[in-house]
């Protein structure tokens, strides 16, 4: 049996907690071989992002072609793409190579609060990239920004935004509830069949750096292994929840520390 391959197209996090680094750690922890296309470089740590260097669109194209020309990619996860040119290059690459599974995490703001997506790129993300995805995984503020609406504050509003995002052309929407309030953090999986609520206990911790990146890459990994969408989402949520709970064991940095991707391999 060959190990399935997943590709992450995202930004690099120099501190290792989010972005490309978190995606590759997630793939490895879940038994999937990870390849990468770097769309941007960030200078960041657990306290914040201090600089962003965008990778030229033609080099993004070169990376995509190099990976697909040689590797049997089962699933693609797309994360931080900060500029319209990068989005257009990715869309062209997806059209050329036609991967069966695309999971889009529309990263707009880092855990630290830094804006990672240029304002002029939001429309390109919405109209060009979103329709190429079998699943998009926005949090509550990102779902609102994609629709140019206020942040949803009730289950009805969340479901409504999920349906409107679905109407933009993606296959399914997972609206993450981590930015909500209360003892439970509930994600909502919206598909053509309806809405599925997926609650989980809210964990009190500062170690949440890379949570969104890791969830979307975990879903992509499970889909690459052949799981159906609901099973992939449930498995990914369980993995990330355990990684958040174990984050305190790492003691990395002085701000929003990373989650513990390899918690299952701890000997303690």
């Amino acid at each position: 049996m060959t190990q399935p391959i997943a590709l992450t197209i995202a930004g690099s996090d120099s501190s290792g907690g989010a972005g490309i680094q978190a995606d590759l750690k997630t793939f490895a922890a879940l038994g999937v071989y990870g390849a990468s296309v770097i769309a941007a470089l960030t200078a960041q740590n657990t306290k914040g992002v201090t600089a962003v260097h965008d990778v030229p669109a033609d080099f993004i194209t070169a990376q995509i072609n190099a990976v697909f020309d040689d590797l049997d990619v089962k699933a693609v996860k797309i994360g931080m793409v900060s500029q319209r040119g990068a989005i257009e290059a990715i869309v062209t690459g997806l059209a050329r190579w036609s991967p069966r599974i695309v999971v889009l995490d529309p990263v707009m703001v880092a855990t630290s609060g830094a804006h990672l997506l240029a304002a002029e790129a939001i429309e390109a993300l919405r109209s060009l990239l979103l329709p190429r995805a079998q699943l998009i995984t926005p949090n509550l503020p990102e779902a609102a920004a994609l629709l140019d609406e206020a942040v949803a504050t009730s289950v009805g509003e969340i479901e409504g935004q999920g349906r409107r995002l679905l109407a933009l052309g993606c296959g399914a929407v997972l609206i993450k509830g981590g930015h909500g309030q209360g003892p439970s953090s509930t994600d909502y999986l919206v598909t053509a069949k309806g809405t599925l609520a997926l609650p989980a206990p809210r964990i009190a911790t500062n170690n949440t750096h890379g949570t969104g990146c890791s969830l979307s890459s975990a879903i992509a990994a499970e889909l690459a292994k052949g799981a159906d969408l609901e099973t992939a989402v449930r498995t990914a949520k369980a993995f990330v929840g355990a990684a958040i709970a174990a984050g305190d064991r790492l003691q990395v940095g002085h701000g929003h520390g990373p989650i513990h991707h390899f918690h299952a391999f701890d000997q303690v």
Side-chain angles (χ1 to χ4, degrees), residues 51-119:
V52 176
H53 178 72
D54 295 303
V55 174
D58 59 349
F59 194 71
I60 293 174
T61 296
Q63 293 178 81
I64 291 172
N65 290 341
V67 171
F68 278 100
D69 185 56
D70 186 37
L71 277 60
D72 181 17
V73 176
K74 297 298 185 184
V76 177
K77 174 264 171 79
I78 302 172
M80 175 192 171
V81 283
S82 58
Q83 300 294 328
R84 182 181 181 93
I87 292 170
E88 291 173 343
I90 293 167
V91 170
T92 299
L94 295 177
R96 176 179 179 183
W97 296 103
S98 300
R100 186 174 65 85
I101 298 166
V102 176
V103 177
L104 171 63
D105 184 24
V107 180
M108 297 182 180
V109 180
T111 302
S112 62
H115 287 266
L116 300 175
L117 180 67

Side-chain angles (χ1 to χ4, degrees), residues 17-18 22 105 111 176 207-216 240 244 259:
D105 184 24
T111 302
K176 299 173 293 190
N207 299 311
T208 56
H209 187 53
T211 302
C213 303
S214 301
L215 179 64
S216 56
V240 171
I244 294 172
I259 66 175

Side-chain angles (χ1 to χ4, degrees), residues 147 149 155-165 175 190 195:
L147 294 166
E149 297 178 2
V155 174
E157 290 177 354
I158 293 171
E159 289 188 50
Q161 290 193 344
R163 287 193 296 270
R164 288 190 287 281
L165 287 169
I175 298 184
V190 183
T195 301

Side-chain angles (χ1 to χ4, degrees), residues 24-268:
L24 294 177
K25 289 174 184 177
T26 300
F27 292 161
L30 295 175
V32 171
Y33 181 89
S36 65
V37 169
I38 298 178
L41 304 170
T42 69
Q44 68 173 294
N45 54 32
T46 64
K47 295 185 288 185
V49 179
T50 56
V52 176
H53 178 72
D54 295 303
V55 174
D58 59 349
F59 194 71
I60 293 174
T61 296
Q63 293 178 81
I64 291 172
N65 290 341
V67 171
F68 278 100
D69 185 56
D70 186 37
L71 277 60
D72 181 17
V73 176
K74 297 298 185 184
V76 177
K77 174 264 171 79
I78 302 172
M80 175 192 171
V81 283
S82 58
Q83 300 294 328
R84 182 181 181 93
I87 292 170
E88 291 173 343
I90 293 167
V91 170
T92 299
L94 295 177
R96 176 179 179 183
W97 296 103
S98 300
R100 186 174 65 85
I101 298 166
V102 176
V103 177
L104 171 63
D105 184 24
V107 180
M108 297 182 180
V109 180
T111 302
S112 62
H115 287 266
L116 300 175
L117 180 67
E120 63 272 14
I122 295 177
E123 176 54 33
L125 184 74
R126 179 168 45 223
S127 62
L128 301 178
L129 197 50
L130 186 149
R132 292 273 176 187
Q134 279 66 55
L135 173 70
I136 66 170
T137 62
N139 57 33
L140 289 168
E142 289 162 349
L146 285 169
L147 294 166
D148 196 21
E149 297 178 2
V151 175
T153 57
S154 69
V155 174
E157 290 177 354
I158 293 171
E159 289 188 50
Q161 290 193 344
R163 287 193 296 270
R164 288 190 287 281
L165 287 169
L166 204 63
L168 294 177
C170 57
V173 181
L174 180 68
I175 298 184
K176 299 173 293 190
H179 285 72
Q181 302 296 322
S184 179
S185 173
T186 302
D187 298 343
Y188 294 87
L189 180 61
V190 183
T191 68
K193 296 179 181 179
T195 301
L196 177 65
L198 298 165
R202 191 179 299 279
I203 300 169
T205 178
N206 284 326
N207 299 311
T208 56
H209 187 53
T211 302
C213 303
S214 301
L215 179 64
S216 56
S217 54
I219 295 170
E222 293 303 314
L223 292 172
K225 294 191 294 189
D228 63 79
L229 180 59
E230 182 180 336
T231 301
V233 171
R234 289 185 182 277
T235 302
K237 280 178 60 65
F239 167 78
V240 171
I244 294 172
D248 291 345
R249 301 208 294 262
L250 290 179
Q251 297 184 0
V252 173
H254 299 86
H256 291 282
I259 66 175
H260 190 353
H261 295 90
F262 298 111
H263 58 273
F265 302 95
D266 275 357
Q267 298 301 312
V268 180

